[in-house]
Amino acid sequence: MITGLSHVSIVVPDLTAALEKMRATYGLTASEIKVNDEQGVRMTYIDLGNAKIELMEPSRPDSPIAKFLERNPKGGIHHFCLGVDSVEQATNTLTAAGVQVLGAGKVQLNVHGERIAFVHPKDFLGALIELEEHSG
Ligand code: CO
């Protein structure tokens, strides 16, 4: 069901400043910034080869991650993402096992058009988990 680690996601208060710090201090460069209106985020990825770092900032004041920044003004790790063969299958299997899948029943897409779902932290050792379907 789970095929690997896709990315670790960090919420930042200022995406431009975060990218500059990653570049200047760590020599890491990111992909083009994209906006996911549905999720209310501006985001970009730093590709590490075997996994990515996802950097997100709110794209609007009522963004779901604006609340996270209220609690963590300097930003911090928000979730990590596991690749799965099929989000629908994984969601069905996990729901049957008593796991709370967030926004169940509604297909969510990431900026790359891949299907995603989220698992409630209470059902994954306290960590918010994103499941991402990789085509091909
Ligand atoms: Co993510």
Side-chain angles (χ1 to χ4, degrees):
M1 175 168 71
I2 291 168
T3 57
L5 176 66
S6 168
H7 60 265
V8 174
S9 183
I10 302 174
V11 172
V12 298
D14 181 338
L15 192 52
T16 306
L19 288 175
E20 176 53 22
K21 175 156 191 159
M22 288 296 100
R23 190 197 60 75
T25 309
Y26 300 98
L28 295 172
T29 53
S31 61
E32 182 191 351
I33 294 173
K34 294 195 170 168
V35 177
N36 186 332
D37 271 326
E38 193 183 334
Q39 308 281 334
V41 296
R42 287 180 75 227
M43 64 203 309
T44 184
Y45 292 91
I46 295 169
D47 196 343
L48 302 173
N50 57 350
K52 289 175 289 238
I53 300 170
E54 176 179 85
L55 298 174
M56 307 193 287
E57 74 174 3
S59 67
R60 44 183 160 85
D62 63 341
S63 164
I65 63 167
K67 277 197 192 108
F68 180 89
L69 272 180
E70 276 171 31
R71 294 194 302 271
N72 309 276
K74 292 180 176 172
I77 292 181
H78 182 264
H79 66 267
F80 67 93
C81 178
L82 301 172
V84 294
D85 301 316
S86 160
V87 164
E88 192 182 357
Q89 249 176 42
T91 299
N92 289 342
T93 304
L94 293 172
T95 302
V99 168
Q100 185 182 347
V101 178
L102 303 176
K106 181 169 162 268
V107 175
Q108 301 180 70
L109 300 177
N110 66 13
V111 287
H112 308 299
E114 295 159 333
R115 284 165 181 261
I116 58 170
F118 285 88
V119 170
H120 193 285
K122 74 178 170 60
D123 292 320
F124 205 99
L125 310 177
L128 177 62
I129 298 298
E130 179 181 9
L131 303 173
E132 187 177 83
E133 185 168 311
H134 294 270
S135 47

